[in-house]
Amino acid sequence: MAIAQDDFDAYFKVLDSFISKISFPAFYRENIRLSAYITQNKEELVKKQINFMETEMRLKREEKQQIFERAFYYFIDKRDKNVAYDILQKMKAEDSKMYDFMEIEYEILMEKKDKSH
């Protein structure tokens, strides 16, 4: 209900509650928090959350890929070339196929290159 009413304070209170912590894995909760920051378009909190998840949590390869992909598209949309590039490089270490696809998108959208020529 809190999210439907754009009451993010109440939303985070529920997310940080004891029942939430024992009911949901940490990655799930923190990924939901990341989604809320993206929804609110709070760029600095998105950066902090990505950094927190990457450096402070024990993430599986698939979880890292998911975070990097979401962050990449968020910062592409924000036209933040430097952050998008940094995230692209992190993806390179996690998933070479996804990296190749994202690199093409980066070059087209951020560098204005056309691979067909």
Side-chain angles (χ1 to χ4, degrees), residues 71-82:
F72 176 77
Y73 289 112
Y74 175 77
F75 288 104
I76 286 284
D77 188 52
K78 301 294 288 171
R79 311 302 297 163
D80 191 327
K81 189 175 175 177
N82 295 330

Side-chain angles (χ1 to χ4, degrees), residues 17-93:
S17 70
F18 177 74
I19 193 74
S20 179
K21 288 179 181 179
I22 64 169
S23 299
F24 302 107
F27 174 76
Y28 181 78
R29 289 190 324 274
E30 296 306 325
N31 200 28
I32 289 173
R33 186 181 315 278
L34 177 60
S35 294
Y37 293 153
I38 289 171
T39 299
Q40 294 176 86
N41 201 24
K42 293 194 173 185
E43 192 170 337
E44 286 306 311
L45 290 177
V46 169
K47 288 178 186 177
K48 286 180 183 178
Q49 184 66 10
I50 291 165
N51 184 59
F52 168 75
M53 292 176 78
E54 181 184 6
T55 61
E56 302 296 322
M57 298 179 73
R58 290 188 200 160
L59 300 176
K60 298 175 189 167
R61 175 178 232 132
E62 301 81 31
E63 293 168 339
K64 284 183 184 179
Q65 291 168 350
Q66 182 180 350
I67 292 166
F68 294 153
E69 185 177 359
R70 291 181 69 207
F72 176 77
Y73 289 112
Y74 175 77
F75 288 104
I76 286 284
D77 188 52
K78 301 294 288 171
R79 311 302 297 163
D80 191 327
K81 189 175 175 177
N82 295 330
V83 176
Y85 181 80
D86 290 344
I87 294 166
L88 179 63
Q89 297 313 304
K90 291 176 184 183
M91 181 59 94
K92 188 176 191 177

Side-chain angles (χ1 to χ4, degrees), residues 102-115:
M102 289 167 59
E103 181 184 37
I104 292 168
E105 290 183 302
Y106 177 86
E107 289 178 357
I108 292 169
L109 297 170
M110 302 305 279
E111 300 288 343
K112 307 295 187 213
K113 292 181 183 176
D114 184 355
K115 287 253 183 184

